[in-house]
Every structure is written in C-alpha cells, then in structure tokens.
Amino acid sequence: MDSIRQDLRYAMRALFRARLFTITVMLTLGLGIGANTAIFSFIDALLLRALPYPDADRLVMVWQDFGATGGPVQEWFTPPDYEELVQQSTTLAGASPLLGWGPNLTGTGEPERLSGQIVSTDFFDMVGVPPVLGRGFVAGDAEGEGRVVVVSDGFWQRRFGGDRGVLGRTLLLNGLEHEVVGVMPADFRTPFGGPTDVWRPYTRSIFSAGCGRGCYVMQVLARVESAFTVDQARADIGAIGAAIARAFPAEKRDMRFTVIPLREQLAGPTKPALYALLAAVGMMLLIACVNIANMLLARATVREREIAVRTAIGAGRGRIVRQMLTESVLLATVAGTVGIGFAVLTHRLLLAFEPGILPRVSDLG
C-alpha cells in the first residue's frame, strides 16, 4: 500500500507538471464520455427500460389504416368503430379509448386549466395499475354523463396537500360537479401525452349523435388476452376491420385495422435516429481514445530519460508499468468526473431542444 501511495503521489505531481497535456486529455475524454452518457440515457428510457405496466408486452395500439387509398396508415378511431371492436373481439382482455380532455377547475382556490384524459371504465385494470387510494372506475360510472374522476398524485398533493379525505369530494370541472373516487400512484403515467391531472370515464354522451363513422377522435390502447398471442389478436382484429370496411364502403373503403405492440409504438420513428446518434457519439469517443493513446505514446517518448534513470537505480519492469497504469487510471478517473458534468449539460440541452415528439420524456434521467 505504501508503494501504491507513492505511485499515486508521483502520478499527481507528473500530471500537474504537464498541465496542458492533462487538461487536453481530461476535456477530450470527458466530452466523449458525457455525450455517450446523455444519448444512452435517451435510449435506455425509450428503448431498453421495461414499460411501467405488468405484462407490458401484451399491451398494443390499434389503428385504422387507410394506406391502400393514399390516406394515413395510423388513423384514430371513431366511436362506432371502437364500440364494434370491443363487442366483437375475442382475443382482447380490454380496449380503452384515449381522448385528450382539458377541463377548467373552478370553485375552490385559484382557477386552473387541468390536463385530463378520457378512458374506459376498465382502463386502470387493463394497464394493471390500480389507484393507491380509493378505486378506479366501475361499469356504472359510464352511465349518464360519467361525473366521477380519478386524480393523479401530483394534483392530489398540489390542490389537497395529500389529504386522504379527498375521496368523495367534488371538483367543479367546466362548471359541472365531478366526484373524486381515486388517487393514482405518484409514478403512474399514461403511455402518451404529458403528465395527467385527472381521468374521467368514457361515455356515449360525450359525443353528439352526429359523430359517426367519419368522426376520428380517439386513440385505442388494448391488452391481448393471456390465452392468445399478439399475432392471433392481429388476425382477429383485422377480420373485424375488414367487416367494417365492407359494411361501410363510403367511409371505410379499403380500410383495415393494424395492431402495433406498445413498446414498438412508443419507440416509433425515433428508434433509427437514436441508434444513429449513439453510433455517432460512440465513434467520437473512439476517436478521442485514439488521440489520447497517441498523446500518451508521444509523452512516453519524451519520458525515455526519466524511465532510464528509474531503471538504472533499481526500478523493475513491473514497477514502471504500474506507475504508468496509475497515471492512466488517475487520468481516466478525473476525465470521468468531467464527463459527468458534460453529460448533465448535454442532457439538459437535448431536453431543451427536443421538439415534443419523444414519448416518456419524463422518464429520462
């Protein structure tokens, strides 16, 4: 241990004497490490990390595909098409619409525009995440106008201070009273959109009678039954879409239903771009390492006299190699610390310039 401490002190003095060399290596390696860490944080959150739902590989998105007629290949659903999908499918354990909802909260405290979603009564059961307080929706909540809501943990803490007596209280949303029946866990997020304050159940009364087969207003998230595979569900759902297309040729000519696993849907078109970015910054780190290796070789040439003197006074080959390794480890440790700073800065810049198309941005870290 004494000899290791001596090597470390000597390495620190040697690197301090060669300050320009040391700073160059620290910045070069730190920039490569920081850029790779920042890009990998995006890939980890969006492509590698498990989705925060039980059996998430069974969650799928269902779309209407009009690509055969030159239309969109991922079109939203209409209320009648969604209802036929739920009624006729034999391979789905549940299917929920996802509709944006932005109610105005008034009546108590400061008025506030909330971020909300309209989902099916079995939505929380389908994704496998129950409320931590109270209950989710039940079938009876969809009757009438669905005047009940489940709130997020953030909204609960912000407006009610975490009061467990929130259950049964009413919120005045868009001038109508809604009863609070549940509070979701703090880490719960719906697959799409940003943080949600409130959820309300989907009811037929939300849309007017005129919202028919041409009224594309909802995304559809579904769960495949455990007894079936995703491919079997795709065939089942495809047959339902084909039947609808035949029954309504004016609105649905050559339309078909497509099924995309949720993870694949979330990655979407960003996957190739993220891997290309990772390859680019990986190549940058490789170039940085090659440049540093060349600088170390050049520095070793300059230090031939020093090494010769150390050999002459009795230093063995192993001791000299250990001294060189100590200097390299010290350089790498300091450069890694600098890389943390570059990683934080790069991560913040990427979030600042992210155009709003990446899902699960809140999970990035």
Side-chain angles (χ1 to χ4, degrees):
M1 294 302 298
D2 286 339
S3 61
I4 290 175
R5 280 194 290 268
Q6 291 173 7
D7 288 342
L8 188 59
R9 286 197 298 268
Y10 186 85
M12 293 175 66
R13 290 198 301 269
L15 294 177
F16 182 76
R17 286 196 301 268
R19 287 187 290 274
L20 181 59
F21 166 80
T22 303
I23 292 173
T24 302
V25 170
M26 285 168 45
L27 293 179
T28 303
L29 191 55
L31 181 60
I33 292 172
N36 275 270
T37 304
I39 296 299
F40 183 78
S41 71
F42 276 72
I43 289 179
D44 176 53
L46 301 179
L47 304 179
L48 303 180
R49 193 180 305 169
L51 296 177
Y53 313 109
D55 293 326
D57 57 334
R58 293 197 162 274
L59 291 174
V60 298
M61 294 296 298
V62 186
W63 300 97
Q64 297 195 7
D65 183 352
F66 290 90
T69 56
V73 296
Q74 290 187 6
E75 180 59 275
W76 291 19
F77 264 67
T78 68
D81 294 338
Y82 161 71
E83 291 170 8
E84 289 198 29
L85 172 68
V86 173
Q87 293 167 5
Q88 297 181 28
S89 175
T90 59
T91 58
L92 296 181
S96 173
L98 300 176
L99 296 93
W101 181 45
N104 294 311
L105 173 63
T106 56
T108 56
E110 289 292 326
E112 184 181 356
R113 177 81 167 183
L114 301 183
S115 171
Q117 275 197 334
I118 299 173
V119 296
S120 67
T121 53
D122 65 345
F123 172 73
F124 299 113
D125 293 330
M126 186 184 72
V127 296
V129 184
V132 293
L133 186 65
R135 63 171 177 85
F137 300 130
V138 296
D141 293 332
E143 298 175 1
E145 297 182 1
R147 299 281 187 83
V148 295
V149 292
V150 172
V151 301
S152 69
D153 179 84
F155 176 78
W156 178 45
Q157 299 290 345
R158 184 175 76 246
R159 297 293 297 206
F160 298 99
D163 179 14
R164 298 181 69 86
V166 68
L167 299 180
R169 297 182 64 171
T170 58
L171 301 178
L172 199 62
L173 303 176
N174 290 341
L176 301 175
E177 290 187 347
H178 291 72
E179 179 187 356
V180 178
V181 296
V183 179
M184 294 304 293
D187 58 351
F188 178 74
R189 299 287 186 276
T190 48
F192 299 97
T196 303
D197 296 314
V198 291
W199 292 266
R200 63 167 290 189
Y202 168 77
T203 67
R204 290 187 176 184
S205 62
I206 291 176
F207 301 104
S208 65
C211 191
R213 301 282 174 177
C215 188
Y216 300 95
V217 292
M218 63 178 69
Q219 296 171 296
V220 175
L221 175 69
R223 177 178 286 277
V224 179
E225 279 275 13
S226 58
F228 300 96
T229 66
V230 173
D231 287 337
Q232 289 173 321
R234 186 176 284 115
D236 171 47
I237 293 171
I240 297 172
I244 293 175
R246 289 192 299 269
F248 301 94
E251 300 93 340
K252 307 292 181 180
R253 183 169 64 89
D254 293 329
M255 182 274 295
R256 63 190 184 96
F257 286 175
T258 59
V259 175
I260 301 177
L262 181 59
R263 174 176 289 281
E264 181 181 334
Q265 183 72 56
L266 290 173
T270 64
K271 186 174 181 179
L274 286 173
Y275 279 130
L277 277 174
L278 185 63
V281 294
M283 184 61 65
M284 182 179 73
L285 179 60
L286 178 61
I287 293 172
C289 290
V290 170
N291 288 336
I292 291 170
N294 288 331
M295 286 189 288
L296 287 171
L297 287 173
R299 186 164 181 265
T301 302
V302 175
R303 299 177 67 183
E304 283 182 353
R305 180 182 177 84
E306 170 199 339
I307 295 173
V309 171
R310 295 190 65 181
T311 302
I313 61 177
R317 182 188 301 269
R319 182 63 185 271
I320 292 175
V321 169
R322 191 176 69 191
Q323 178 63 50
M324 299 296 104
L325 287 175
T326 301
E327 292 183 16
S328 294
V329 169
L330 183 61
L331 268 176
T333 302
V334 177
T337 305
V338 173
I340 294 174
F342 276 122
V344 172
L345 177 62
T346 306
H347 184 266
R348 291 178 179 175
L349 288 174
L350 287 171
L351 287 179
F353 289 100
E354 195 272 316
I357 62 173
L358 292 178
R360 305 175 68 193
V361 169
S362 59
D363 293 341
L364 298 177

